[in-house]
Amino acid sequence: VSSNTGASGSSGKLSFSTGSTRRGNSGILTFGSGAATEGRGNNVFISVGTGTSALGRSILALPGRAVALSGGLLSVSAGEGTVTSSGSITVKVTNGGVGGSSGRLTFSTGSSMAGNSGRLTLGTGTASGGHGGTMGIEAGSGSSGSAAHIRIDSGQSAVSSGGFTNIASGEGSSVSSGAVTVKGCNSGVQGSSGRLTFSSGSSQSGNIGAVLISAGAASSGQAGLVCISAGSSSDTESGLSVHLCTGRGILTSGGALFLEGSEGTCSSS
């Protein structure tokens, strides 16, 4: 236990550490509350003191470094519930003050000199008798400015192809699979709804990537429908048009536009 300081000094330092060793393993350092047979196990608090004239201090949890093998593991787990629900883990920053911003949350793997960088996985656990948990990623709303953005960027490569982004719904082994909805939300009274853009990137010397919109094949049922339609208008304005434009060629002919029906092997095409 450290005592309080005087008017101009600092309070004493508390150190909990095991001794070092030359050939064996160093000792284990354990912080925990005792078990309870009929009541609740109690809490363990680790907190940093507040300051009135400087920045608040930090809490660092650093696994051990290894010279020849992999570094140590940092594991944060909620308590198991053998009969009811397990505990929750909340990682959040507190609210900002009147003139500041709330803190930033960063989930990132470390960089690598010669090998692959680590994997970052966000997911919910499987359920044997119930529904799988929902995972939500939301940007904060704003009352005086634009709302925040959500960006999903694949990795860049200097010598090979860049990474890909895959968004897929869940498989239904006995019934229908899940749906994927990409939409812009409704606008306010005086604004316009958001724009949806599906585009491939440009290319310096190679071909531009293709944009494919298609329905999957069906082995025994009907194939899915592909529908492209413009929105309707309820005022005096005319309804919007649907434009299908092929690419322009500077040195050769422009692209062709094909509209054709598929072959019908047993009935009309």
Side-chain angles (χ1 to χ4, degrees):
V1 178
S2 175
S3 6
N4 298 330
T5 182
S8 60
S10 300
S11 60
K13 180 173 67 174
L14 285 177
S15 297
F16 300 91
S17 175
T18 62
S20 59
T21 178
R22 298 191 62 180
R23 294 184 179 273
N25 297 328
S26 60
I28 297 176
L29 183 61
T30 302
F31 290 93
S33 60
T37 56
E38 295 184 359
R40 292 186 300 181
N42 222 323
N43 301 322
V44 176
F45 290 97
I46 300 176
S47 63
V48 178
T50 59
T52 59
S53 61
L55 296 175
R57 303 301 293 175
S58 306
I59 294 179
L60 301 178
L62 302 176
R65 179 188 178 192
V67 177
L69 298 175
S70 300
L73 171 69
L74 177 61
S75 178
V76 180
S77 301
E80 179 185 2
T82 57
V83 180
T84 57
S85 302
S86 60
S88 300
I89 295 178
T90 302
V91 181
K92 64 174 295 185
V93 295
T94 54
N95 300 330
V98 178
S101 303
S102 61
R104 181 175 60 179
L105 279 178
T106 302
F107 299 93
S108 174
T109 63
S111 58
S112 176
M113 296 292 294
N116 298 328
S117 60
R119 176 185 298 179
L120 181 61
T121 302
L122 299 177
T124 62
T126 57
S128 58
H131 295 286
T134 304
M135 185 174 66
I137 300 177
E138 299 179 358
S141 59
S143 59
S144 60
S146 298
H149 307 291
I150 294 179
R151 291 188 55 182
I152 301 176
D153 296 330
S154 301
Q156 180 182 0
S157 177
V159 296
S160 184
S161 300
F164 67 89
T165 301
N166 186 18
I167 301 177
S169 63
E171 178 185 0
S173 57
S174 301
V175 292
S176 301
S177 60
V180 176
T181 302
V182 181
K183 63 174 293 186
C185 287
N186 298 332
S187 66
V189 179
Q190 298 180 351
S192 301
S193 60
R195 182 175 60 181
L196 284 179
T197 302
F198 299 93
S199 173
S200 60
S202 59
S203 177
Q204 293 287 332
S205 59
N207 296 327
I208 299 174
V211 176
L212 303 177
I213 301 176
S214 64
S219 58
S220 59
Q222 290 183 338
L225 175 68
V226 176
C227 179
I228 300 176
S229 63
S232 60
S233 178
S234 59
D235 57 9
T236 57
E237 296 284 340
S238 300
L240 295 181
S241 305
V242 175
H243 294 267
L244 297 176
C245 301
T246 59
R248 178 187 178 192
I250 302 296
L251 300 179
T252 59
S253 301
L257 177 62
F258 295 95
L259 295 176
E260 61 180 19
S262 296
E263 179 185 3
T265 56
C266 296
S267 60
S268 302
S269 59

